[in-house]
Amino acid sequence: MNAGSPLIENVAPPGLKGLIVADTEVGSVRGDEGWFHYRGRNAASLAREHSFEAVAHLLLGGDLPDDVAEEAFRAKLAAARSLTPEAADLVAALGQTDLPPMTILRGVLGVEVDPRPTLDLDPDERRAAVMRAIGITPTVLASVNRIRSGAEPLGPDESLSHSADYLRMTLGETPLPEHARAVETYLCLTADHGFNASTFTARVITSTGTDVGGAMGGALAALAGPLHGGAPGRVLDMLHAIGHPDNAVPWIAAELDAGRKIMGFGHAVYRADDPRSETLKAMAIELGGELVERALDIESRILSYLAEWKPDAVIVTNVEYYAGVVLHLAGLPQEAFTPTFTTSRVVGWGAHLLEQAANNKIMRPSARYTGQLHNGD
């Protein structure tokens, strides 16, 4: 008997690339066209024209709010940022350890978010649990950063926007408006992006009927991987390593010869310009400075080299390239880059979690066995 012969005709491609596994009304990515949307609305336009609260309201509730609804949502989200004394004590204790910030957040989610299975919650209760998870995420991650920099954690300021308060809690002072807006634009752009690894993970776990914190925790574990949420910091490392733009081509050539991945370039989906990158590039130019001028020059040289290196491929600048520049210019340390991404993406996880739970069927795919069969054993 040939153990390697397929028993199931429909075999998914490696990495499930391009395979449709669910229906969704949350949004999608059209990589060949170079755009993505949230509930049918151009996501890059939303990021340029609306607040993070408005975008989160759209993703979670299905509609773009008017001024009154946006203010009400802002107030609910601000109230959700406060930690209970028990959770604050847990963050203070774990912040002194070597545990990664994402691991600490996973623990706090178990303390702060409704532990009941989503299967046993009504829609309002599920939404409340998701809002709680979204609210505490920036507070926990900012607190860990403060503790590890030798400073005291700061509680939330409900008078500030979600993005501005995250910056304040991380940096210890109220941010400049242009810095708060730059980070807000980034948060809006990265709140959701199709069935990426962490979002898919959240939906698979939710399909079991488990609690919101458990599903979010699984998504956090996926996002912590350097191939998913850790690239902006590595882009900044690359810019520092290259130094002068004249060094860009020799540096990239050596990296490619060594078989290493070039962070900030290429994407699994986009075959046209990444609209997130284009939006953040404009934001970086608006902020200005030596780093921006150098990044622009280096980007141009790298793209030219990559076009010659692999002429049959379409390799574009992805979101991580200018994300690293913008977050740095806003004052965030590199160790806060992935937590900042998390502060955003938790909204997309929440939207998909609610959608999955509303019309749930447990995900149970099959695998093709390719090992040996031993007769008689």
Side-chain angles (χ1 to χ4, degrees):
M1 180 178 181
N2 184 357
S5 62
L7 299 179
I8 300 175
E9 292 183 1
N10 298 321
V11 179
L16 306 182
K17 185 175 181 179
L19 185 69
I20 295 174
V21 296
D23 293 328
T24 183
E25 295 183 357
V26 176
S28 73
V29 182
R30 298 188 176 184
D32 290 339
E33 302 171 36
W35 78 288
F36 71 115
H37 66 87
Y38 299 155
R39 298 194 181 273
R41 295 176 181 268
N42 187 305
S45 296
L46 289 168
R48 290 190 294 266
E49 300 166 8
H50 293 277
S51 68
F52 178 73
E53 284 82 357
V55 169
H57 185 285
L58 172 67
L59 284 168
L60 295 174
D63 63 317
L64 200 59
D66 59 21
D67 291 344
V68 174
E70 182 177 343
E71 186 54 40
F73 184 88
R74 181 189 295 267
K76 286 183 180 179
L77 188 55
R81 288 198 292 271
S82 295
L83 298 177
T84 62
E86 294 78 12
D89 289 344
L90 180 61
V91 172
L94 295 179
Q96 301 288 345
T97 70
D98 293 331
L99 286 173
M102 312 286 264
T103 302
I104 295 174
L105 177 58
R106 282 156 55 189
V108 179
L109 285 171
V111 174
E112 291 286 73
V113 178
D114 193 330
R116 292 177 295 168
T118 56
L119 197 64
D120 298 333
L121 303 181
D122 64 36
D124 288 341
E125 290 171 328
R126 290 179 200 138
R127 183 181 171 93
V130 165
M131 285 289 286
R132 183 63 174 151
I134 294 169
I136 67 169
T137 292
T139 307
V140 172
L141 295 176
S143 295
V144 172
N145 187 79
R146 294 278 294 169
I147 291 168
R148 292 182 176 175
S149 65
E152 287 293 320
L154 298 176
D157 181 344
E158 294 188 16
S159 69
L160 296 178
S161 70
H162 202 63
S163 54
D165 204 20
Y166 167 64
L167 265 181
R168 183 193 66 85
M169 288 190 290
T170 302
L171 303 179
E173 58 186 14
T174 301
L176 295 173
E178 58 267 33
H179 290 168
R181 181 55 192 157
V183 171
E184 183 169 49
T185 301
Y186 172 77
L187 295 180
C188 290
L189 285 169
T190 54
D192 187 58
H193 203 246
F195 264 40
N196 54 82
S198 58
T199 298
F200 184 50
T201 299
R203 289 195 70 132
V204 170
I205 296 175
T206 299
S207 79
T208 70
T210 193
D211 61 292
V212 168
M216 294 286 194
L220 280 165
L223 187 66
L227 295 182
H228 190 11
R234 294 178 180 229
V235 167
L236 208 59
D237 289 339
M238 178 184 73
L239 293 175
H240 291 328
I242 290 173
H244 194 280
D246 287 347
N247 300 326
V249 169
W251 192 89
I252 291 296
E255 291 295 295
L256 292 173
D257 286 345
R260 287 189 281 269
K261 182 177 176 64
I262 307 301
M263 294 297 182
F265 295 89
H267 195 274
V269 177
Y270 286 110
R271 295 299 174 265
D273 289 337
D274 185 337
R276 303 169 301 169
S277 177
E278 292 297 299
T279 303
L280 289 174
K281 180 177 183 177
M283 181 63 68
I285 292 171
E286 188 176 319
L287 291 172
E290 183 275 334
L291 176 61
V292 176
E293 295 301 319
R294 188 157 53 88
L296 289 167
D297 196 348
I298 289 173
E299 178 199 23
S300 176
R301 298 185 191 218
I302 289 177
L303 287 174
S304 294
Y305 182 81
L306 291 175
E308 295 179 4
W309 175 69
K310 193 171 283 189
D312 295 332
V314 179
I315 303 176
V316 299
T317 309
N318 64 40
V319 65
E320 283 86 8
Y321 189 84
Y322 283 105
V325 174
V326 167
L327 297 179
H328 175 76
L329 292 176
L332 287 167
Q334 280 183 240
E335 56 268 24
F337 286 5
T338 298
T340 305
F341 190 5
T342 306
T343 294
S344 166
R345 188 53 61 83
V346 69
V347 174
W349 297 339
H352 280 276
L353 186 157
L354 293 174
E355 185 177 65
Q356 181 69 41
N359 187 25
N360 189 50
K361 183 175 179 61
I362 189 168
M363 294 191 186
R364 179 61 173 88
S366 299
R368 178 175 58 177
Y369 178 68
T370 58
Q372 295 295 314
L373 290 178
H374 301 280
N375 294 330
D377 289 349

